[in-house]
Amino acid sequence: MTLVLPPRLTASAGSVRAAAERRGLATVALPSFAVPPGLRAEHLHAGPSFADAVAPALGIATLQAPGDWLATLPRVHTGREIALLPLARAHALRRPVFVKSPNDKSIPARVYADGSRLPGLDAFAPETEVLVSDIVAFSAEYRLHVLDGAVRTGSQYAEDGRSRRAPLPPAALSFAAELLAAHGHTLPSAIVVDIGLTGGRWAVIEANAAWASGIYDADPDRALDVVLRAARPVSALDPRDRPFVRTAPEGGGL
C-alpha cells in the first residue's frame, strides 16, 4: 500500500509519514498537484486543495463531517449558538460573529465585526455555505483522533490562544465519550474532533477531516490508523461511510 503526501511536509505530516513507513507502507511526496502516469496509491494525507486534485484520479475516497454538523449539535455540547448560512445571508448580519467555511479554509476562520466584513459576493457565490457562531474564548483546546466512535489518540494544542502541547486530561476523554455516544453516528468512522474549555465548561470546537489534520503531540501510529481509514480506496468503503465522502467543490470563488 502507498500513502501519498503533498510537496511540502509539515513536521506533523513528517511524523505521519514515518509512522506509515514503520508499518511497511510506501510513501510518495508528489512534486505538484499532478498525478504521475501509472501511480497507484490507496491513501493520502494532505490539505483539501491537494486532496481534491489527487484523490479522484487515484480512486481514493476522502471522508469528512457534514457541513452542518456543528450546527446540528445541541448547545449543551457546543456552548454557543451556531448556524449554517448561505454567504448572502451572513452578509446581512449586523453584529460581531465568528465565521468559517465548514470543511476548508476558503472563507478565513475569524471574528468579523459584522457580515459586511466577509469576503464579497463578487468573489464567492451567494449560496456558498458558512458556519456562523457566537463568539466564545477557549482557555484550552484539544484534538481528538476518533476511530469507530472512540478516541484513538489526541493532544492538547492550545491554551488561551497560544500553542501548547500536552496529553489529553481524563476530563477531555470523559466529555468526548459522552459526545460520541450521543452523536458519533453523525460522523464518519474516522474523523478528528477538536474540543475545548470555555467558561469552565467543555464544548465542541469543530470537526476536521483526519486526512487533512495535524497530529500535534498525539501518538503518530494511532493517528495513522485514523488517517488510513479517513482516506481509503472507494472500493473499500462500507455503506456506513458512503454519505461522508467529500465532493470536491467546483471552485471556492466565482
Side-chain angles (χ1 to χ4, degrees):
M1 291 194 296
T2 298
L3 175 72
V4 172
L5 299 148
R8 295 181 180 179
L9 299 187
T10 63
S12 176
S15 295
V16 171
R17 182 180 197 172
E21 291 175 347
R22 284 195 299 272
R23 196 170 295 189
L25 274 69
T27 63
V28 177
L30 298 185
S32 71
F33 284 23
V35 177
L39 176 66
R40 298 181 64 182
E42 295 77 22
H43 305 281
L44 65 79
H45 182 55
S49 296
F50 181 90
D52 289 343
V54 170
L58 293 173
I60 295 174
T62 51
L63 304 181
Q64 65 182 18
D68 67 347
W69 184 71
L70 262 182
T72 65
L73 293 179
R75 185 162 183 157
V76 68
H77 285 134
T78 64
R80 62 206 187 278
E81 291 296 324
I82 305 172
L84 184 71
L85 300 177
L87 186 60
R89 281 187 59 192
H91 262 272
L93 297 172
R94 290 299 173 262
R95 59 183 174 87
V97 287
F98 180 84
V99 181
K100 69 182 292 290
S101 296
N103 277 306
D104 57 44
K105 298 182 180 179
S106 55
I107 304 292
R110 62 182 178 86
V111 173
Y112 293 84
D114 61 52
S116 69
R117 307 299 180 91
L118 286 161
L121 300 179
D122 57 337
F124 289 87
E127 64 273 14
T128 301
E129 292 183 324
V130 292
L131 284 166
V132 177
S133 77
D134 294 338
I135 300 167
V136 298
F138 287 94
S139 59
E141 300 170 60
Y142 303 85
R143 173 153 293 174
L144 314 172
H145 295 262
V146 177
L147 188 65
D148 293 327
V151 176
R152 184 75 175 145
T153 186
S155 166
Q156 181 175 1
Y157 63 88
E159 183 173 85
D160 294 324
R162 297 183 295 273
S163 177
R164 183 180 189 273
R165 310 289 178 85
L168 295 175
L173 292 171
S174 295
F175 175 76
E178 174 193 334
L179 171 73
L180 294 169
H183 302 287
H185 66 284
T186 65
L187 290 168
S189 67
I191 193 71
V192 159
V193 178
D194 292 347
I195 64 173
L197 284 168
T198 178
R201 297 175 63 88
W202 288 98
V204 178
I205 299 173
E206 61 184 354
N208 292 294
W211 45 267
S213 297
I215 67 170
Y216 300 110
D217 276 2
D219 183 317
D221 295 290
R222 287 176 173 267
L224 178 64
D225 292 337
V226 186
V227 171
L228 296 180
R229 177 81 67 81
R232 65 188 193 272
V234 173
S235 60
L237 281 178
D238 51 50
R240 184 246 189 274
D241 276 332
R242 289 189 181 279
F244 302 104
V245 175
R246 175 179 172 88
T247 301
E250 295 181 3
L254 295 172

